[in-house]
Amino acid sequence: MLDLIRSILHNLYDVQGLIQWGGTLLVCTIVFVETGLFVGFFLPGDSLLVTAGVFAAAGTLKIGSLVLFVTLCAIAGDQLGYWIGRRAGQALYRREDSTFFKRRHLERAHEFYEKYGGKTVILARFMPIVRTFCPPVAGAAQMRYARYLAYDVLGGCCWAAGLVLGGYFLGSIVPNIGQRIHWVIAVVVVLSLLPAMIGAMRARSRRISKPEALPLGPSTQE
């Protein structure tokens, strides 16, 4: 069983192999699942989109259809997550941990939402795990749908189209970038994790410098 799990994870994170095997359809499917379903929090997102853009620059994928469909799937996935949260409400926070659901991820997304309010819908797009759990948090918090939709469309365009076009631009100006794609993926992964690491260090620094500080109560941000 462990060997099977290792094999599945290895294949999932072989973004170059995934794109070569499934093309635009598989990229869109992964983006939809990662943004719309709890089970997608471990799927490659940023690295997959940038790599897909590099492949498009090499002529393997069509850049126009890739940008369009990936962006639509990113937005559609978030819509599904929002309505799951809207319907399930606070029951999500009482749900027990399972193989594909970790309550700590939901609570992390909730804290991020409380801190940044509506801007979270955009900012969370660029943070692995948080982007999966932010939509149901917004739904459970009864965020007004028209407001959520506006932020979500903007965030989806910035994230999906932005990363794909960034990879396409990189692939267009750097000769033989496909031969160094593993370095590109490594840089993208580090950059995507950087905000979370900075936030964790700042939170730790605040706890050390203000050990006696008391919470001021719930946030009033929308």
Side-chain angles (χ1 to χ4, degrees):
M1 179 61 73
L2 289 176
D3 289 338
L4 176 61
I5 293 174
R6 290 194 194 99
S7 176
I8 292 174
L9 291 176
H10 172 74
N11 291 329
L12 281 174
Y13 286 95
D14 179 15
V15 293
Q16 186 173 1
L18 287 174
I19 295 169
Q20 290 174 330
W21 180 69
T24 298
L25 178 60
L26 185 57
V27 173
C28 290
T29 301
I30 291 175
V31 167
F32 178 81
V33 173
E34 189 201 10
T35 56
L37 301 174
F38 293 130
V39 297
F41 70 89
F42 61 88
L43 293 173
D46 303 328
S47 57
L48 180 70
L49 295 180
V50 172
T51 305
V54 172
F55 271 64
T60 305
L61 304 175
K62 294 182 178 179
I63 185 63
S65 57
L66 178 65
V67 169
L68 175 62
F69 291 122
V70 164
T71 302
L72 290 176
C73 285
I75 295 171
D78 261 23
Q79 298 303 300
L80 176 61
Y82 174 88
W83 286 109
I84 289 175
R86 187 94 174 201
R87 296 298 179 110
Q90 294 302 311
L92 287 173
Y93 296 95
R94 297 192 295 270
R95 181 175 174 178
E96 296 297 325
D97 284 353
S98 63
T99 303
F100 295 109
F101 178 84
K102 301 298 180 184
R103 190 164 51 189
R104 68 177 182 273
H105 297 326
L106 190 67
E107 291 169 348
R108 179 184 171 193
H110 182 266
E111 291 171 0
F112 200 78
Y113 180 83
E114 284 293 304
K115 182 176 181 180
Y116 294 106
K119 295 188 294 292
T120 301
V121 180
I122 297 176
L123 296 175
R125 285 286 192 179
F126 298 89
M127 297 185 66
I129 299 179
V130 173
R131 65 171 157 259
T132 301
F133 289 89
C134 176
V137 166
Q142 300 290 306
M143 183 178 184
R144 188 163 54 89
Y145 181 65
R147 176 179 169 82
Y148 173 79
L149 181 61
Y151 277 111
D152 186 44
V153 170
L154 178 59
C157 291
C158 291
W159 178 66
L163 291 184
V164 170
L165 291 174
Y168 182 80
F169 178 73
L170 185 64
S172 300
I173 65 172
V174 180
N176 301 318
I177 189 64
Q179 298 176 7
R180 306 179 184 86
I181 195 65
H182 291 92
W183 289 105
V184 175
I185 294 172
V187 170
V188 172
V189 170
V190 170
L191 291 177
S192 66
L193 294 175
L194 196 58
M197 292 187 291
I198 292 175
M201 288 188 292
R202 285 179 176 175
R204 184 173 182 274
S205 177
R206 285 195 296 268
R207 286 196 299 269
I208 294 174
S209 61
K210 299 180 180 180
E212 301 299 326
L214 297 175
L216 298 178
S219 171
T220 58
Q221 293 188 28
E222 296 181 359

